[in-house]
Amino acid sequence: MATPTVSVIMPVYNAHLYVAKAIESVLQQTYQDFELILVDDGATDGSGEICEKYAAQDDRIVLIHEENSGICKARNTGLKHAQGTYIAFCDHDDLYMPQYLEKAVSSAIKENADLVKFAYRSEYSIDGKITNVFEDPVPNIKLSVTDVLKKPYELFDLTKRVLWNGLYKREIIANYRILFDESILAGMEDFLFNINFLSHINEIVYIPDKLFTHYCRSGQSTSSKYSENRLKNIIRVKGKEIAFITSETSGGGGYNWKSSSGKHTSIYL
């Protein structure tokens, strides 16, 4: 297989009810120049066998089996094997919209962007019953990292919050050895990775299209589970975020933050 433009990394662990649809949503992209790296993180429910079936049918799939070590280790394994110019991520129970890669790659190339971010849909459910649906609006704009911090806080929050609504330039990840912290066991790894990535880039392109659907199912998502590890990670990531913002704004500026109540407040660091 020739070197692909995009490497899609999907860690897989005990998601036999959902992983087939997640894989198919990637394989059915309108843009076809990609590799799909499936990292079986020691699944015990047959998810690994489902991955093997798809890998046998499509030579764009790279399947790696490893002992259960958590999502951060699995993603790092994916990054180690990735060959693409760009990196995209997908969780084992989420869905790509058909034009995800086509629109993201087109924007990245056209604007020579280090990072592309776009809108997405989140669906929350408990025992199969949908409890909430959330959509994050995204402007149609190109900004430097410094300019992002001059915008309302929601834009920076969306930029750093998750992985799967983004296309990342692999050269930057490789050159600066940006990896996932494998000590993180229960969420917040996205935040830390994104802040580290943002520390080394210039241009970000935002596109308003909803190109990803994220499902947060009770019992399935590590980020929805309480743990002491998660609380420690929140404190740690917030410290990293403050240091990053202070550095980017030279320690002097403030910017507007719009709270959930709709009121604007100036924050100075």
Side-chain angles (χ1 to χ4, degrees), residues 30-177:
T30 56
Y31 184 88
Q32 291 288 301
D33 186 16
F34 65 86
E35 63 176 354
L36 172 57
I37 303 175
L38 300 175
V39 184
D40 170 22
D41 185 29
T44 59
D45 70 340
S47 296
E49 287 75 11
I50 294 172
C51 292
E52 288 177 356
K53 182 188 75 172
Y54 281 97
Q57 298 171 354
D58 197 315
D59 61 8
R60 293 172 299 176
I61 295 178
V62 177
L63 174 58
I64 302 162
H65 296 285
E66 62 183 21
E67 293 183 1
N68 177 242
S69 302
I71 194 169
C72 291
K73 172 66 165 55
R75 284 176 175 155
N76 285 339
T77 297
L79 288 173
K80 179 181 178 180
H81 288 84
Q83 299 295 315
T85 303
Y86 301 99
I87 300 290
F89 297 93
C90 186
D91 285 356
H92 58 198
D93 59 342
D94 289 342
L95 297 177
Y96 276 18
M97 298 300 100
Q99 290 185 304
Y100 177 131
L101 294 181
E102 180 181 352
K103 291 191 174 184
V105 171
S106 176
S107 294
I109 293 173
K110 180 181 177 181
E111 302 293 344
N112 191 29
D114 302 314
L115 175 64
V116 178
K117 285 281 182 173
F118 43 82
Y120 63 91
R121 180 179 187 272
S122 292
E123 183 179 296
Y124 296 82
S125 62
I126 298 176
D127 297 328
K129 182 178 180 180
I130 297 174
T131 58
N132 191 24
V133 174
F134 176 77
E135 294 184 356
D136 242 332
V138 177
N140 187 7
I141 194 170
K142 177 182 178 181
L143 294 170
S144 69
V145 172
T146 302
D147 286 340
V148 170
L149 297 178
K150 297 176 182 178
K151 298 292 180 181
Y153 182 78
E154 287 93 342
L155 185 60
F156 174 58
D157 185 48
L158 179 140
T159 306
K160 70 177 174 59
R161 190 188 313 149
V162 294
L163 294 166
W164 21 258
N165 74 326
L167 189 73
Y168 299 74
K169 189 173 287 186
R170 186 174 69 87
E171 180 183 27
I172 293 169
I173 294 172
N175 287 348
Y176 294 100
R177 299 180 181 179

Side-chain angles (χ1 to χ4, degrees), residues 149-157 238 241 254-267:
L149 297 178
K150 297 176 182 178
K151 298 292 180 181
Y153 182 78
E154 287 93 342
L155 185 60
F156 174 58
D157 185 48
K238 287 301 179 183
E241 179 181 335
Y255 58 94
N256 289 327
W257 171 72
K258 186 177 180 182
S259 70
S260 58
S261 65
K263 297 180 179 179
H264 285 80
T265 305
S266 292
I267 296 178

Side-chain angles (χ1 to χ4, degrees), residues 188 227-238:
M188 302 302 292
S227 76
E228 183 179 352
N229 179 270
R230 177 168 171 77
L231 294 177
K232 290 180 179 178
N233 293 335
I234 291 172
I235 295 171
R236 178 182 171 196
V237 169
K238 287 301 179 183

